[in-house]
Amino acid sequence: MRWLFSPVPLGRIAAFRTLVYLFVAADLVIFTPWVRAHANTPGELYQPLFVGRLLHLPTPTPLIVHSIFWALIVLALAAATGRAPRALGWAVFALYFEWMIIAMSYGKVDHDRVGFLVALAVLPTIGKARHGDKTLSAAGGWALRVTQIAVVCTYFLAAWAKLRFGGLDWPTSAVLAQAIIRRGTWAADQIAVVPGLLIVAQFGIIAFELLSPLIFVVPQRWRWAVVAAYFYSFHLMTFAMITISFAPHLVAMTSFLALEKVRPVVWVRHRMGRVAETGEPELVT
C-alpha cells in the first residue's frame, strides 16, 4: 500500500495534468482527425467495442461526432489551466472515452491508448495542484502509480498477445519484414538487408516487453534515466523504422518523470527578466 500511494509533489501532478490535457486537444487535430470522418460513415458499419455495447452508447451521427470534437477541444484546453480540476477532468475523460469508442469500433483497435485513458480517469480524483508546489500528495502518488502500471501492462500484455496468437514462432516470423514493406523508412531499408538482424530485433522486442515490469524494482533515483534511455529510445527506433509513434502512450509514460523540474513558463519569465535588466538578450554558448 505504501508503494501504491507513494507521495509525489503536487507540482508534478500539475505539470502532468497540463501535458495530458494539452495532448487531448492536439490528438484531435493532429493524430486522430480521421475520427471525424465517422460522422458520415453508414451506421450499419458501426460495431461497438464490448464496453460500448455494455453502456449502450449511441451509434455515431454527425451531430454526436462534431459535438464531441468541439466540446473536447474547449474543455481540454480549459482543463489544462488547472481550473475546476474535478468537473473539467471528468468531462474530458467521458468525452475522450466516447471519442475512442467511436474511433475503434470500425475494425481497428490501437493499444497505445490504455495508459493515457487511465491517466485521464485518475487525474480528476486529485483535486487542485499548482505548478511548482512541493507539497507531497499520496492521492497524486496513487494517480501516477496506476498510470505507470497501465503503461507497463501495455508492454507486457502486448508480448502476451504476440505469444498467444503467434506462438513461439512469432520471434522468428516475418512480422518486422512485413511492416517494413508496408511502411518502412530509409533507415529500416538499410537494416532489413542485414541477414538475421530483423529476427534478433524481434527477440529483442519480446524480451523488452516481457521484462518491462522490472522498471518498478529500479531505484527511484535511476528510474527516470532508465525510462528515457530504454523506453523512449525503443519508441524512437520504432518510429524511425516504421513510423509508428505511440504518441498517447509516450505522454502517459511521463508519469515516471520528475515533470515538476520542467517549467518552461518560469524559464521564459526568467529570460525576459534578464533581458529587461540588461537591455539585451543573453548569449547562449
Side-chain angles (χ1 to χ4, degrees):
M1 294 297 291
R2 183 180 304 174
W3 175 81
L4 190 60
F5 290 88
S6 180
V8 300
L10 283 174
R12 185 177 305 180
I13 298 300
F16 184 63
R17 173 182 286 157
T18 297
L19 178 62
V20 166
Y21 290 134
L22 286 179
F23 179 81
V24 169
D27 185 38
L28 267 62
V29 298
I30 298 175
F31 299 102
T32 60
W34 48 268
V35 179
R36 295 181 70 185
H38 290 322
N40 301 313
T41 302
E44 56 267 22
L45 298 180
Y46 177 66
Q47 299 294 324
L49 302 177
F50 172 75
V51 66
R53 300 194 300 271
L54 186 66
L55 298 176
H56 302 286
L57 297 177
T59 300
T61 64
L63 178 61
I64 291 175
V65 174
H66 294 309
S67 296
I68 291 175
F69 176 85
W70 289 111
L72 262 179
I73 292 289
V74 173
L75 293 176
L77 292 177
T81 67
R83 291 180 171 83
R86 298 186 190 278
L88 290 175
W90 288 122
V92 171
F93 167 69
L95 290 174
Y96 190 82
F97 183 80
E98 170 63 1
W99 186 256
M100 285 296 98
I101 296 297
I102 294 172
M104 307 302 169
S105 294
Y106 293 86
K108 177 180 180 291
V109 180
D110 296 330
H111 68 287
D112 63 344
R113 308 270 163 177
V114 177
F116 190 74
L117 280 168
V118 170
L120 287 175
V122 297
L123 278 173
T125 67
I126 303 169
K128 292 184 178 181
R130 302 185 64 177
H131 289 273
D133 190 345
K134 297 181 181 180
T135 304
L136 296 179
S137 167
W142 173 82
L144 292 185
R145 186 69 78 200
V146 295
T147 302
Q148 294 168 2
I149 292 172
V151 166
V152 170
C153 284
T154 300
Y155 292 121
F156 188 83
L157 295 178
W160 173 254
K162 291 179 178 68
L163 296 176
R164 177 187 176 189
F165 295 104
L168 295 177
D169 293 331
W170 190 94
T172 57
S173 67
V175 172
L176 275 183
Q178 183 182 23
I180 290 173
I181 291 172
R182 289 179 55 223
R183 54 190 304 161
T185 63
W186 176 86
D189 292 338
Q190 308 312 304
I191 293 173
V193 298
V194 180
L197 189 55
L198 293 184
I199 299 300
V200 172
Q202 289 172 185
F203 273 101
I205 290 172
I206 286 288
F208 171 80
E209 292 176 336
L210 288 176
L211 296 176
S212 59
L214 293 180
I215 188 63
F216 291 121
V217 302
V218 175
Q220 183 63 48
R221 64 181 180 276
W222 299 110
R223 192 172 297 164
W224 69 269
V226 174
V227 169
Y230 292 98
F231 286 63
Y232 277 103
S233 62
F234 171 80
H235 290 283
L236 179 62
M237 286 296 298
T238 301
F239 184 78
M241 290 186 62
I242 53 178
T243 62
I244 297 178
S245 69
F246 287 87
H249 179 79
L250 299 182
V251 173
M253 198 156 60
T254 62
S255 57
F256 283 101
L257 307 180
L259 292 178
E260 72 275 13
K261 297 180 180 180
V262 182
R263 303 189 64 191
V265 174
V266 173
W267 294 346
V268 170
R269 288 176 179 172
H270 175 71
R271 181 170 291 272
M272 291 177 65
R274 291 293 296 271
V275 171
E277 291 176 3
T278 62
E280 58 184 22
E282 293 180 279
L283 294 178
V284 179
T285 60

